[in-house]
Amino acid sequence: MSAEPAGVTEIVPMTAAHVDALMPYERAMFGTEAWTANGYRNELADTRHRYYLAAEGAGGELLGWAGVRVIEDSAEILTVGVVPSARRQGLAARLLDALLTEARRRGAAEAFLEVRVDNAPARALYLREGFAELGVRRGYYDNGRVDAVVMTRAL
Ligand SMILES: CC(C)(COP(=O)(O)OP(=O)(O)OC[C@H]1O[C@@H](n2cnc3c(N)ncnc32)[C@H](O)[C@@H]1OP(=O)(O)O)[C@@H](O)C(=O)NCCC(=O)NCCS
C-alpha cells in the first residue's frame, strides 16, 4: 500500500463547491473529453444511481474526486482525478476503494470502466485495484482517434 499524503486527507461526499474547484483541473486533465460544471451538477443531483466523493487536504483544498454509477448489480466507474501535486500517494486508490465499497453496499456484484489506451497511469492504477482488461472499444475517444480499454472486476 502507498503511504497516505502528509497531513490529514479526508474523503467526503462531493458538493457543488468541489465542482467549482475541480473545473480547471478537469479541463487540464481531460481536454476535449472534459465534463462541464453543469454536467457535474447533474451527476450530483442523481443520488439514486450515482455516488461522488472528493478528497480534501488539511486546509480543505480539493486534492481529488471520483464517481460511480450503480444500476442494478453493475457499477461503472465514471471518473477519477487527483491534482498533480497530490499524485502517487495512494489517493486515487483510496477514492476507488470507497466507491467500490458503496457500490457493493448498493448491491453491485461487478464493476467496469473505460480508460484511454494511452493513459498508462490510470491503467496501472486499475490493474493494481483488481481490474482486468476485457477488451477494446475502437475509436471511443477524441472523435474516433483513441481507443478505450474496457476493464472489469468482481465486487
Ligand atoms: C490516474 C490518477 C487518477 C492516479 O492518481 P494517484 O492518486 O496518483 O494514484 P495512486 O497514488 O492511488 O496510485 C495507486 C497505484 O496506481 C499505479 N499508478 C498511479 N499512477 C501511476 C503512474 N503515473 N505510473 C505508473 N503507475 C501508476 C501504481 O501502481 C500506484 O501504486 P504505487 O504508487 O504504490 O506504485 C492520476 O494520475 C490522475 O488524476 N490522472 C489524470 C486523470 C485521469 O487520467 N484519470 C483517470 C481517467 S480513466
Side-chain angles (χ1 to χ4, degrees):
M1 282 295 286
S2 308
E4 288 191 6
V8 185
T9 303
E10 256 202 290
I11 309 279
V12 297
M14 195 198 281
T15 66
H18 294 123
V19 172
D20 293 338
L22 74 78
M23 282 319 295
Y25 297 113
E26 174 80 16
R27 284 187 282 262
M29 288 180 198
F30 297 110
T32 57
E33 306 287 334
W35 293 0
T36 62
N38 261 339
Y40 268 105
R41 286 187 205 107
N42 290 336
E43 290 286 305
L44 293 187
D46 179 18
T47 53
R48 178 153 178 246
H49 291 118
R50 289 151 212 265
Y51 180 69
Y52 278 82
L53 292 171
E56 293 180 347
E61 72 281 14
L62 179 77
L63 298 180
W65 67 94
V68 64
R69 171 174 55 204
V70 182
I71 297 189
E72 301 191 347
D73 62 356
S74 179
E76 181 177 12
I77 302 297
L78 299 170
T79 193
V80 183
V82 171
V83 307
S85 61
R87 288 183 188 163
R88 294 311 286 270
Q89 298 171 66
L91 209 43
R94 276 177 72 189
L95 285 163
L96 262 180
D97 286 346
L99 291 186
L100 296 178
T101 298
E102 174 64 11
R104 225 176 270 120
R105 195 190 68 77
R106 292 184 181 201
E110 53 122 20
F112 71 99
L113 56 86
E114 287 104 16
V115 56
R116 292 173 66 108
V117 282
D118 57 5
N119 191 344
R123 288 176 68 177
L125 164 74
Y126 299 133
L127 281 175
R128 176 153 154 187
E129 286 294 300
F131 285 83
E133 299 190 346
L134 187 69
V136 169
R137 287 198 176 147
R138 299 260 167 241
Y140 191 75
Y141 297 107
D142 281 356
N143 286 325
R145 279 189 288 273
V146 179
D147 297 343
V149 180
V150 181
M151 300 183 73
T152 182
R153 62 160 277 184
L155 293 181

